[in-house]
Amino acid sequence: MALFKFQNLNKHGNLRTRIVHSPTSQFSFNPSGYGKFVNVQRFYYEMKHTYLSASLYTDANGDKFILPSMEKVHPETTLDDIKNIKPKVAKRKDPIIETSMSSSSDIEYTTRYFPDSGKIYCDCPGTFRAKDRRCKHIKSMELKVKKW
């Protein structure tokens, strides 16, 4: 019915961890031969996937796996012993856009700052001329970002 993570010290004093199955929802054990008891807690396998839920597969050898990750699990594992964790999708923030006019002509340049990645882009020719690819518009935007 349930899986438990059982920890004890072996005869050399090293911590040993086992995943054990209990036919009831309570854990009981016979302490003879196990060494000094340390800890026991309910155990769950975790499957992290954006849109798929876990399923179990048993191969010809009798080994059991969680699909789609193909993680080998305890032979007595049921779907109740698996937690489906859906990762939170980061919401993309709209870029902060600034426009500036060229000092020598009527051309307009656009500087874009993407807060989710921290990247700054500019479409002026100064970007391509500078060694570090940072024109005066990008440097100006970097200063503004530091103040935020």
Side-chain angles (χ1 to χ4, degrees):
M1 280 299 228
L3 294 177
F4 291 91
K5 183 167 108 176
F6 173 75
Q7 294 179 322
N8 67 323
L9 297 176
N10 66 9
K11 65 182 180 181
H12 304 291
N14 298 326
L15 185 66
R16 180 170 179 181
T17 302
R18 297 181 183 94
I19 305 299
V20 293
H21 176 262
S22 177
T24 64
S25 61
Q26 295 178 348
F27 180 77
S28 63
F29 73 101
N30 184 1
S32 63
Y34 273 109
K36 187 176 178 185
F37 170 76
V38 175
N39 183 21
V40 67
Q41 64 187 28
R42 178 75 165 89
F43 179 76
Y44 294 98
Y45 289 100
E46 293 181 351
M47 197 198 78
K48 297 176 183 171
H49 203 282
T50 308
Y51 53 89
L52 293 177
S53 0
S55 60
L56 292 171
Y57 165 73
T58 306
D59 67 359
N61 299 332
D63 295 332
K64 202 175 258 192
F65 298 90
I66 297 176
L67 294 178
S69 64
M70 287 302 289
E71 177 184 355
K72 188 173 179 181
V73 296
H74 191 276
E76 300 291 329
T77 302
T78 63
L79 289 176
D80 294 332
D81 299 323
I82 302 170
K83 286 186 178 180
N84 287 314
I85 299 173
K86 298 197 185 270
K88 294 182 180 179
V89 179
K91 294 182 181 178
R92 183 176 175 149
K93 297 180 183 175
D94 293 332
I96 298 169
I97 300 172
E98 282 189 358
T99 57
S100 53
M101 295 296 290
S102 171
S103 58
S104 60
S105 62
D106 293 336
I107 301 173
E108 190 174 276
Y109 300 120
T110 306
T111 308
R112 291 179 177 87
Y113 168 64
F114 294 90
D116 54 343
S117 66
K119 304 238 181 204
I120 302 173
Y121 300 99
C122 184
D123 60 1
C124 76
T127 305
F128 305 106
R129 290 186 190 133
K131 287 182 182 179
D132 59 356
R133 301 290 184 230
R134 292 171 51 227
C135 65
K136 64 181 181 181
H137 308 113
I138 290 176
K139 290 177 183 177
S140 169
M141 182 69 84
E142 287 173 347
L143 292 173
K144 291 176 186 174
V145 169
K146 283 184 183 179
K147 291 180 183 177
W148 293 335

